[in-house]
Amino acid sequence: MNTTTSEPDGTVPSDTPRRNFVIASETTTEIPVHLLFRDDTGPRALRPAVVARRQGTGEQPKIGGREAPVPPKSSARSAPPVDRELAERPGPALSGWTALVAGACSLAGIGAVLWGTGAVPDTFAALFGLTPPPYRGIGIWLWCLLALGVVLALFALGGLVRGQVGQAWVLTLCGDYRGTVRRTGLVWVSPLVLRRRVDVRIRHWRSEPMAAVDAEGTALRVVVLVVWRVNDTVRAALGVANHEAYLREQVEAATVRVVSQLPADAFLPSVPTLRNAESVGNTLTKTLVAECAAVGIEVFSAQPVAIDYAPEVAAAMQRRRVAAIDAKHRDSVLTSVVDAVDETVSRLTARGLVELDDYERRVLVKDLTVAFYTGRAGVVEAP
């Protein structure tokens, strides 16, 4: 028999419980199913959603899907452009022996003409013990022939040069590039062109101590050894006023730029520093290769020989380095002592040699720690 009780106000309670809303103005929003499994790894991936709540309402937090701002790209420093018109090509040159024979033939022809006309001086004939024919005069055609012989002799003998291994000649005529001669031995080059010698051997240059600062602003003195050679003679001779001075200035600028990216010493573990000469040298070499290609210089390697602190900060940085080494040593000693004490106490209690309560265990750990630490510190400091 079911009985119902009425409320004091005469109403009959319902069998279903009444639903009470915790938030009076609650609203819901449907989320499409495909958004729950969307892959946000594409080029327009969104950053983590931003949660926001309307002020003065009981509405659930709304999610805003704004795109993350793209940080501005740092403009990379471009290397000097390479002049495509300045490219080395072989210059006109002949064997020096051919020119020497041609010059000798010209001189012999001049001598024959003078001997045949009797224009040889008596002192010159007496020197060789010869009797010249009587002088019969020199006509206009003989004068032209003599002038031609003199010009040929001067042109043939005046262009003789000696080509050496590791040397090249850059030829210009009225300011125009005519080619490069890399031949060795006796070579003939036209005497009408201007010749400029360029050293194309592999060379090395050790810089003076250069002032620089590391990533922390500490003053340094850096010495760099550069191995290089002239690869394109026309660019080295005509593309820049002085290619050796250009190389020195670029080495100084590149060294300052590369050294300023890392600290000289790191007093924390796993931090890259300038003491990694291989990495610093590779970066410096790549920088110089790009900077010197425009003037025909090929850089093989640029390695830091010495990276020292400036005299005004050397003493302070040395004390800091010693303190860091001492702290690292103390930490390693303390770690080994703690491990030894833990192993000793564990063995004693595991084998039942001692039975200790908490107080006795703390006392034993304290005594063992002091004994082990004192012993190990004394062994390290003894040498």
Side-chain angles (χ1 to χ4, degrees):
M1 181 177 178
N2 296 330
T3 60
T4 60
T5 59
S6 61
E7 298 294 333
D9 55 357
T11 60
V12 180
S14 174
D15 294 337
T16 59
R18 180 178 296 178
R19 183 180 181 183
N20 296 326
F21 293 95
V22 178
I23 302 177
S25 57
E26 180 180 359
T27 60
T28 59
T29 303
E30 294 183 359
I31 302 177
V33 177
H34 69 279
L35 295 180
L36 298 177
F37 303 95
R38 183 178 60 183
D39 187 7
D40 289 341
T41 60
R44 295 184 58 84
L46 302 180
R47 67 175 182 178
V50 179
V51 179
R53 183 187 297 272
R54 291 186 180 180
Q55 299 294 333
T57 64
E59 187 176 357
Q60 291 291 334
K62 289 185 176 293
I63 298 177
R66 296 178 297 175
E67 294 186 4
V70 180
K73 295 182 179 180
S74 58
S75 58
R77 184 178 180 274
S78 58
V82 178
D83 191 354
R84 301 298 180 182
E85 297 181 358
L86 290 179
E88 181 179 329
R89 63 177 183 271
L94 297 176
S95 174
W97 298 106
T98 303
L100 186 62
V101 170
C105 293
S106 299
L107 293 177
I110 294 173
V113 171
L114 294 176
W115 181 267
T117 58
V120 178
D122 295 336
T123 56
F124 184 80
L127 181 63
F128 291 94
L130 300 175
T131 303
Y135 179 69
R136 293 179 298 179
I138 301 177
I140 185 65
W141 295 108
L142 292 179
W143 279 116
C144 293
L145 186 61
L146 289 175
L148 180 60
V150 171
V151 171
L152 290 178
L154 292 178
F155 195 76
L157 300 179
L160 292 176
V161 295
R162 186 182 62 177
Q164 299 179 358
V165 178
Q167 303 289 334
W169 297 93
V170 178
L171 310 180
T172 57
L173 179 61
C174 298
D176 188 18
Y177 174 63
R178 291 299 183 182
T180 299
V181 177
R182 289 179 177 260
R183 299 177 62 174
T184 59
L186 191 61
V187 183
W188 180 86
V189 179
S190 174
L192 301 179
V193 298
L194 179 63
R195 294 167 290 188
R196 182 179 300 181
R197 179 179 292 183
V198 179
D199 193 341
V200 295
R201 295 173 296 180
I202 296 179
R203 305 162 66 184
H204 68 279
W205 174 66
R206 182 188 178 99
S207 69
E208 297 294 332
M210 296 177 291
V213 294
D214 64 355
E216 297 179 351
T218 306
L220 303 174
R221 294 293 183 270
V222 184
V223 179
V224 179
L225 178 65
V226 183
V227 180
W228 63 283
R229 74 173 178 184
V230 173
N231 186 32
D232 195 311
T233 56
V234 61
R235 292 177 184 171
L238 305 179
V240 66
N242 188 335
H243 64 277
E244 295 183 2
Y246 178 88
L247 176 63
R248 289 194 296 268
E249 298 296 334
Q250 289 297 332
V251 168
E252 184 176 359
T255 301
V256 172
R257 190 161 63 250
V258 172
V259 168
S260 63
Q261 298 177 1
L262 294 174
D265 288 300
F267 303 99
L268 297 175
S270 302
V271 176
T273 65
L274 296 176
R275 302 305 174 184
N276 188 354
E278 186 70 22
S279 177
V280 176
N282 291 338
T283 304
L284 187 59
T285 301
K286 292 179 181 179
T287 303
L288 288 176
V289 167
E291 295 290 343
C292 297
V295 296
I297 294 178
E298 182 180 4
V299 178
F300 296 100
S301 66
Q303 296 294 330
V305 178
I307 301 179
D308 300 323
Y309 290 105
E312 59 270 17
V313 298
M317 297 307 298
Q318 182 66 23
R319 289 194 297 269
R320 185 180 177 185
R321 183 185 301 176
V322 171
I325 295 175
D326 184 66
K328 183 178 180 180
H329 166 69
R330 291 179 182 275
D331 182 70
S332 62
V333 171
L334 183 59
T335 301
S336 61
V337 166
V338 171
D339 293 339
V341 170
D342 181 32
E343 184 179 359
T344 302
V345 174
S346 299
R347 287 186 177 183
L348 290 175
T349 55
R351 295 181 182 180
L353 298 178
V354 292
E355 294 182 359
L356 305 173
D357 55 11
D358 292 341
Y359 176 78
E360 293 174 344
R361 179 184 292 272
R362 288 195 296 269
V363 172
L364 179 61
V365 168
K366 178 181 178 181
D367 294 341
L368 289 176
T369 301
V370 173
F372 287 173
Y373 187 83
T374 304
R376 298 202 176 189
V379 170
V380 174
E381 294 176 359

